[in-house]
Amino acid sequence: KEKEEVSIATKAKMIDSILDMDNDLNIALKSFKEVPTGIDLIINKLKHFLESQNIKEIETDKYDSDVHEVVSVLETGVDKIVDVVSKGYRMGDKVIRYPKIILSKWVRITIRY
Protein backbone atom coordinates (compact mmCIF):
# COMPACT_ATOMS: atom_id res chain seq x y z
CA LYS A 1 0.00 0.00 0.00
CA GLU A 2 2.88 2.34 0.83
CA LYS A 3 4.51 1.70 -2.57
CA GLU A 4 1.20 2.49 -4.28
CA GLU A 5 0.89 5.79 -2.38
CA VAL A 6 4.46 6.77 -3.32
CA SER A 7 3.73 5.89 -6.94
CA ILE A 8 0.56 8.01 -6.99
CA ALA A 9 2.35 10.95 -5.34
CA THR A 10 5.20 10.76 -7.87
CA LYS A 11 2.80 10.57 -10.80
CA ALA A 12 0.75 13.50 -9.44
CA LYS A 13 3.92 15.59 -9.11
CA MET A 14 4.94 14.81 -12.70
CA ILE A 15 1.45 15.60 -14.03
CA ASP A 16 1.28 18.93 -12.15
CA SER A 17 2.91 21.00 -14.93
CA ILE A 18 0.55 19.44 -17.49
CA LEU A 19 -2.40 20.45 -15.30
CA ASP A 20 -0.99 24.00 -15.22
CA MET A 21 -0.95 23.99 -19.03
CA ASP A 22 -4.55 22.74 -19.11
CA ASN A 23 -5.53 25.55 -16.75
CA ASP A 24 -3.74 28.16 -18.89
CA LEU A 25 -5.48 26.90 -22.04
CA ASN A 26 -8.87 27.16 -20.33
CA ILE A 27 -8.12 30.71 -19.22
CA ALA A 28 -7.14 31.56 -22.81
CA LEU A 29 -10.38 30.02 -24.10
CA LYS A 30 -12.41 32.57 -22.14
CA SER A 31 -10.98 35.33 -24.35
CA PHE A 32 -12.21 33.74 -27.62
CA LYS A 33 -15.71 34.08 -29.00
CA GLU A 34 -15.03 31.08 -31.23
CA VAL A 35 -12.41 28.44 -30.38
CA PRO A 36 -9.63 28.26 -33.00
CA THR A 37 -9.20 24.77 -34.49
CA GLY A 38 -5.57 24.40 -33.39
CA ILE A 39 -6.36 25.21 -29.76
CA ASP A 40 -9.34 22.85 -29.84
CA LEU A 41 -7.07 20.02 -31.07
CA ILE A 42 -4.54 20.67 -28.29
CA ILE A 43 -7.27 20.71 -25.63
CA ASN A 44 -8.74 17.43 -26.92
CA LYS A 45 -5.31 15.72 -26.96
CA LEU A 46 -4.62 16.95 -23.46
CA LYS A 47 -8.02 15.73 -22.27
CA HIS A 48 -7.45 12.26 -23.77
CA PHE A 49 -3.97 12.08 -22.23
CA LEU A 50 -5.32 12.92 -18.77
CA GLU A 51 -8.09 10.32 -19.16
CA SER A 52 -5.51 7.70 -20.18
CA GLN A 53 -3.68 8.43 -16.91
CA ASN A 54 -6.92 7.96 -14.91
CA ILE A 55 -7.09 11.68 -14.16
CA LYS A 56 -10.57 13.14 -14.17
CA GLU A 57 -11.80 16.69 -13.80
CA ILE A 58 -13.73 17.43 -10.59
CA GLU A 59 -17.28 18.56 -11.32
CA THR A 60 -18.13 22.17 -10.52
CA ASP A 61 -21.85 22.14 -11.26
CA LYS A 62 -22.79 22.17 -7.59
CA TYR A 63 -20.78 23.43 -4.59
CA ASP A 64 -19.18 20.77 -2.40
CA SER A 65 -17.19 22.09 0.58
CA ASP A 66 -15.12 18.88 0.68
CA VAL A 67 -13.57 19.38 -2.76
CA HIS A 68 -14.04 23.02 -3.81
CA GLU A 69 -11.65 25.76 -2.70
CA VAL A 70 -13.54 29.06 -2.49
CA VAL A 71 -11.35 32.00 -3.48
CA SER A 72 -14.10 34.63 -3.41
CA VAL A 73 -17.72 34.95 -2.29
CA LEU A 74 -20.29 37.22 -3.89
CA GLU A 75 -23.37 38.12 -1.90
CA THR A 76 -26.33 37.68 -4.23
CA GLY A 77 -29.78 36.18 -4.17
CA VAL A 78 -28.68 32.68 -5.16
CA ASP A 79 -26.42 29.89 -3.85
CA LYS A 80 -24.30 28.68 -6.77
CA ILE A 81 -20.84 28.55 -8.31
CA VAL A 82 -20.40 31.71 -10.37
CA ASP A 83 -17.02 30.98 -11.96
CA VAL A 84 -14.25 28.40 -11.94
CA VAL A 85 -10.89 30.14 -11.52
CA SER A 86 -8.95 26.91 -12.02
CA LYS A 87 -10.12 23.34 -12.56
CA GLY A 88 -9.55 20.55 -10.08
CA TYR A 89 -8.58 16.94 -10.75
CA ARG A 90 -8.77 13.47 -9.21
CA MET A 91 -6.47 10.55 -9.83
CA GLY A 92 -8.70 7.63 -9.02
CA ASP A 93 -10.28 8.53 -5.67
CA LYS A 94 -7.50 10.91 -4.62
CA VAL A 95 -7.83 14.66 -5.21
CA ILE A 96 -4.57 15.91 -6.72
CA ARG A 97 -5.72 19.48 -7.32
CA TYR A 98 -8.73 21.20 -5.79
CA PRO A 99 -10.85 23.39 -8.07
CA LYS A 100 -10.73 27.09 -7.17
CA ILE A 101 -14.13 28.72 -7.48
CA ILE A 102 -16.03 31.94 -6.98
CA LEU A 103 -19.14 31.21 -4.97
CA SER A 104 -22.38 33.16 -4.93
CA LYS A 105 -24.30 33.10 -1.65
CA TRP A 106 -27.86 33.99 -0.80
CA VAL A 107 -27.96 36.82 1.68
CA ARG A 108 -30.93 37.59 3.89
CA ILE A 109 -31.50 41.30 4.31
CA THR A 110 -33.32 42.44 7.44
CA ILE A 111 -35.15 45.73 7.21
CA ARG A 112 -35.87 47.45 10.51
CA TYR A 113 -38.54 50.12 10.86
Side-chain angles (χ1 to χ4, degrees):
K1 185 176 180 178
E2 188 176 315
K3 284 182 182 181
E4 183 181 327
E5 288 177 11
V6 169
S7 174
I8 289 172
T10 303
K11 185 176 179 180
K13 196 171 190 176
M14 290 174 45
I15 296 282
D16 199 48
S17 60
I18 294 171
L19 297 179
D20 287 340
M21 184 174 55
D22 182 55
N23 190 51
D24 293 345
L25 283 168
N26 283 289
I27 290 169
L29 276 179
K30 291 179 180 181
S31 66
F32 291 108
K33 290 182 182 178
E34 193 172 313
V35 181
T37 305
I39 292 179
D40 192 41
L41 288 170
I42 293 168
I43 289 170
N44 283 330
K45 282 186 179 184
L46 187 55
K47 182 179 177 181
H48 290 300
F49 170 75
L50 293 174
E51 287 173 359
S52 75
Q53 299 301 309
N54 195 28
I55 297 172
K56 296 187 174 33
E57 187 177 335
I58 295 174
E59 292 295 323
T60 52
D61 296 334
K62 189 174 180 182
Y63 175 63
D64 180 350
S65 61
D66 291 334
V67 293
H68 295 121
E69 182 179 330
V70 178
V71 294
S72 183
V73 177
L74 303 174
E75 295 180 349
T76 65
V78 228
D79 286 345
K80 69 176 189 171
I81 294 174
V82 176
D83 194 16
V84 178
V85 177
S86 66
K87 297 191 302 184
Y89 301 89
R90 291 182 191 276
M91 185 183 312
D93 292 336
K94 182 176 172 66
V95 175
I96 58 172
R97 183 176 287 188
Y98 290 89
K100 293 182 171 99
I101 62 163
I102 297 174
L103 185 64
S104 169
K105 287 295 240 175
W106 182 79
V107 179
R108 174 183 278 173
I109 300 173
T110 306
I111 300 174
R112 296 180 189 231
Y113 295 100

